[in-house]
Amino acid sequence: MRVTNKMIMNNASSNINTTKEFVNKRNTQMTSQKKIDRPSDDPVIAVRSLRLSTTLAQVTQYHEKNIPDASQWISVTETALINMRNIGNDCKQIAVAGSSDPKNTQDDRKTMLKQLQELQKQLFAEGNADYANRTVFTGYRTNCNLTFTEDELNTEYEITQTIAIEGNMEDHRYYDGNVEVPTTEGELLAPSLDTTDPNYKNISDIVQTNYYRLRLNYDKVGDLTKDIDIKINDTTFNADDYNVITYESEAKWSEAQGGKNVPEKTMILIKETGDFILSNDTAEVLKKGDAQLTFTYERKGFTEGELRPEYYYNCVKTADPLDVHVPVTYTKYNEAGERIHFDIEYTIAASQTVAINTEAADVFDSSIYRDVTEMIDACQRAISAFDKVKTLEDMASESQYASDEDQEWIKIWKDAAQKEFDFYNDNMQKLFNTEIGKIDAYYGKMNLAIADLGCKKDSLDLTKTRVGDQQQTVQSLQSLNDDIDLSKIIIDYTAAYTAYQASLTAAGKLGESTLLNYI
């Protein structure tokens, strides 16, 4: 075969380009320290690199974002619950002091009253705890507060609340009668103890009656908008056979019934207090049948700190001056009466999720607020009754009431006031003693929720350690697949560059010889 000069020059040029490509490739590898620059360089390495990169991105998301975010959310929730538990513990200490010490002074009662009022203000403030502007107790509605943050006197809801007799029906004391302390001698001498006298007034007429009651979770309620739905196990209960009467206040109840009495087969709703009072025969039937009662009632006007009903009940917001979308329906229970949960779940590892949120309905409700309100009311009644006794004692020492008749009437009035104080002070002590057990139940519920959060945090810590190890493993595999050893590539680059220089030199030598050299 005849080899021409042109063929030699073409081969030399091709060899130069080939060695130059090797130099360029090695230069790129040395600069990037990667085995390939594009998928076509090595499809196997490219596919494996893509898979490892995807896995690493997922693991990094779990380790660097999801797990820390979930852990912080749980920490905020835990702190809020601990604070609420501490508030509950403070209320318990007050209840213990008020129920166990018969020598409590008026100053002691006023101190307890002040403490309870302040604790009540703080009680649900923790319920609005948020993480990164997302409230932690409100389920999916993380952009909304759990409580009313200001008075909303024109906001109105229709609330449906189901109450089980078991654990909720309680014996409650009701008091009728009120000593109105005279302020003048004429008022002091006005009553007559003769029952036939038109001026007869039994000034010692305070009476205690006990009835079973169910307490709605809101006071100052409106009318019942639907018939009470009653479900009873193994007992027939025809609600039409029972009379449901609604009164605005306990005073209206007393006035209508001639005292705080509940006739047979009667259920009474006191709007002011939210008490649903049962006659003895009605209470017996409902208790025997382990009944559940469903009330649908109106509530207009909410004060700062009260819980929003949509987080606890099926309800309809029927009026709100600040919301153009009313009416708005909220569903918390399905048709079977089962609660609908709004869990916020974080993916913290492959095929592993954790529900990070604790819903307020799982831990606390308005019954805590109502209990503190009743403690405040009982304390205020005892304080007011004692003030009446003190006022009459002061009257007895005044010169204008020095006559024997005045002193005798002051004693009669004082005995009545003392009776009223004894009733209310006894009620305060008994109520505080009852509240100790209730607070313990709330305390236990919060402890359980806090323990559950602690378990979740421990699980997150273990998962974080495992995912961190996985992240390092994937990074090592990706580096082994993608990266090239720098010392090796330097050697390869040097060899390629030497070959390139040699090809240039050889080509240069070819150019020095022509056909004329042989003529």
Side-chain angles (χ1 to χ4, degrees), residues 98 101-110 112 175 177-179 181 203-208 378-393 413-430:
D101 191 350
K103 297 181 180 180
N104 282 322
T105 65
Q106 185 76 334
D107 288 339
D108 292 334
R109 286 185 285 271
K110 288 181 178 179
M112 288 188 288
Y175 296 93
N178 178 46
V179 176
V181 177
I203 59 177
S204 301
D205 61 352
I206 186 168
V207 177
Q208 173 183 311
C379 203
Q380 285 176 326
R381 285 182 175 183
I383 290 171
S384 177
F386 185 86
D387 285 339
K388 294 178 183 180
V389 176
K390 187 67 171 62
T391 298
L392 289 164
E393 288 178 349
W413 279 99
K414 182 184 173 185
D415 288 344
Q418 183 65 47
K419 180 183 177 182
E420 182 176 281
F421 169 72
D422 290 341
F423 267 113
Y424 285 142
N425 192 52
D426 178 68
N427 176 64
M428 186 190 79
Q429 292 182 344
K430 288 179 178 178

Side-chain angles (χ1 to χ4, degrees), residues 427-440:
N427 176 64
M428 186 190 79
Q429 292 182 344
K430 288 179 178 178
L431 178 67
F432 279 25
N433 187 62
T434 301
E435 292 303 328
I436 294 173
K438 290 185 177 181
I439 293 172
D440 282 340

Side-chain angles (χ1 to χ4, degrees), residues 297-409:
Y297 57 92
E298 297 174 329
R299 171 72 190 276
K300 181 178 181 180
F302 294 84
T303 58
E304 180 183 354
E306 285 191 286
L307 295 173
R308 291 184 171 274
E310 57 261 36
Y311 298 114
Y312 294 89
Y313 313 108
N314 289 348
C315 60
V316 180
K317 185 193 287 187
T318 55
D320 186 350
L322 302 179
D323 190 348
V324 297
H325 302 292
V326 292
V328 182
T329 300
Y330 300 97
T331 304
K332 191 65 179 176
Y333 292 86
N334 61 23
E335 293 181 355
E338 299 169 339
R339 213 188 89 194
I340 301 172
H341 293 273
F342 302 100
D343 292 335
I344 298 176
E345 295 187 339
Y346 269 46
T347 302
I348 58 173
S351 303
Q352 182 178 352
T353 61
V354 60
I356 63 167
N357 67 316
T358 300
E359 292 185 65
D362 293 327
V363 187
F364 55 85
D365 57 32
S366 291
S367 59
I368 307 176
Y369 191 91
R370 296 293 311 278
D371 284 336
V372 177
T373 297
E374 290 194 347
M375 292 173 70
I376 290 172
D377 290 343
C379 203
Q380 285 176 326
R381 285 182 175 183
I383 290 171
S384 177
F386 185 86
D387 285 339
K388 294 178 183 180
V389 176
K390 187 67 171 62
T391 298
L392 289 164
E393 288 178 349
D394 292 341
M395 287 177 63
S397 64
E398 295 179 11
S399 58
Q400 60 178 321
Y401 301 110
S403 69
D404 291 342
E405 184 181 12
D406 288 347
Q407 290 293 315
E408 182 179 354
W409 274 101

